[in-house]
Amino acid sequence: MTVESRGTVQVVRCSGSIDADTVSAFKKRMLEIIAQGSAHLVMDFSTLHFIDSMGLGTLISLLRTVRGKNGDIKIASMSDDVKMIFQITRLDRLFDVAPDATGACEKFAR
Amino acid sequence: MSAVTFTTELIISSDTRYLSFLRQWVGAAIVVSGSAHVFSAVKAKMSLALIEAVDNAIYHGNRGKRHLPIVIRLLIRKNLMRMVIVDCGSGMKKRSRDLPTPLATHGRGMFLIDHFMTSVYSCVKNKRHLLTLTYKP
């Protein structure tokens, strides 16, 4: 996972998978980022190949946390497989989804 | 290789470090069975269904006890793919097949399994819980 600051937005690029094996480390790192005052987050999923229901649950938990701080999580660059999972679980309606990280960052400026 | 009946079996401990390997295992089995032309398009769905089932086996069936085994059988036949996941639990409670509310953080695993598979069957035999997932294109 890498984090890049673009103004007030933190772009978090996730690689590999977010599953039962990796989700604890993922959540811990994300909570550290949020604790540093970042509530405007873009998850760049361009190199994320797999996410399971535990990963989805953690994303929702993080979304609840940042929305409680008047922030948001926007999701960018989903692969077809990851997009399919978001569509089936209808999380593409809960999360604001953008084609790429730049477009997701621009959504915060509107 | 012609696709008649291909079977393979794995026994793992209740350890999430196997999950990445299991996804590769499903993909490799589809290729080796000679059924790639039938099942490649659904490889991601089959892999996710298996991972969700193994997550359930680790955390619910075997209650996170790492030393307890999970047996995974994979059968591929012409126009049929079946995965059987065996854990040491007492089976599953009657469950809702509905999608949980949008902000719920749990409850999507079995929903995804039900969505991807043609049939899902749960039973207990010889003090082992068997979850049988069948997909027919």
Side-chain angles (χ1 to χ4, degrees):
Chain A
M1 183 194 291
T2 60
V3 184
E4 176 195 349
S5 293
R6 296 192 193 178
T8 59
V9 181
Q10 302 296 309
V11 178
V12 181
R13 176 173 283 182
C14 303
S15 299
S17 61
I18 305 175
D19 60 17
D21 191 40
T22 61
V23 76
S24 293
F26 168 74
K27 186 171 186 178
K28 184 178 177 214
R29 182 72 184 103
M30 289 301 299
L31 288 174
E32 286 171 359
I33 293 167
I34 294 166
Q36 288 164 4
S38 304
H40 291 177
L41 301 170
V42 168
M43 309 301 299
D44 181 345
F45 281 176
S46 55
T47 54
L48 184 78
H49 305 302
F50 182 83
I51 188 165
D52 69 2
S53 64
M54 291 183 74
L56 296 176
T58 297
L59 279 176
I60 293 165
S61 171
L62 293 167
L63 182 72
R64 287 160 55 166
T65 300
V66 296
R67 284 190 179 168
K69 298 173 183 287
N70 295 319
D72 199 11
I73 293 176
K74 303 191 188 297
I75 297 182
S77 305
M78 284 194 280
S79 69
D80 288 345
D81 286 344
V82 172
K83 192 183 298 178
M84 169 194 70
I85 297 164
F86 271 73
Q87 288 170 343
I88 289 168
T89 54
R90 297 180 198 157
L91 293 181
D92 57 334
R93 303 178 193 179
L94 179 65
F95 287 91
D96 198 357
V97 175
D100 54 46
T102 300
C105 288
E106 287 171 354
K107 283 172 176 268
F108 279 111
R110 287 173 199 160
Chain B
M1 185 185 291
S2 63
V4 182
T5 298
F6 173 88
T7 59
T8 181
E9 180 175 300
L10 271 180
I11 303 174
I12 62 170
S13 58
S14 300
D15 193 326
T16 56
R17 286 178 294 184
Y18 286 103
L19 297 181
S20 175
F21 169 74
L22 290 176
R23 298 204 316 270
Q24 295 172 44
W25 181 63
V26 170
I30 288 171
V31 172
V32 173
S33 68
S35 302
H37 60 294
V38 181
F39 294 110
S40 278
V42 293
K43 185 177 74 173
K45 295 177 180 177
M46 297 300 102
S47 296
L48 180 57
L50 176 62
I51 295 306
E52 296 295 346
V54 172
D55 284 350
N56 282 342
I58 291 173
Y59 292 109
H60 300 300
N62 291 352
R63 298 174 184 267
K65 294 176 181 170
R66 201 173 270 193
H67 66 282
L68 291 178
I70 297 169
V71 180
I72 305 159
R73 298 187 192 109
L74 176 56
L75 180 150
I76 301 175
R77 207 181 284 161
K78 187 184 178 187
N79 293 334
L80 184 147
M81 184 165 171
R82 179 167 289 151
M83 299 182 283
V84 183
I85 298 92
V86 185
D87 64 48
C88 304
S90 55
M92 303 169 71
K93 292 175 186 167
K94 194 172 181 182
R95 59 197 165 80
S96 166
R97 289 173 175 257
D98 297 336
L99 187 61
T101 55
L103 286 171
T105 55
H106 293 87
R108 290 177 182 81
M110 283 308 301
F111 171 84
L112 286 166
I113 291 173
D114 283 333
H115 188 88
F116 291 144
M117 306 309 296
T118 308
S119 70
V120 178
Y121 176 66
S122 170
C123 69
V124 176
K125 278 184 188 171
N126 300 324
K127 297 184 179 177
R128 294 286 185 271
H129 171 234
L130 286 76
L131 185 67
T132 303
L133 314 180
T134 303
Y135 175 75
K136 295 178 183 176

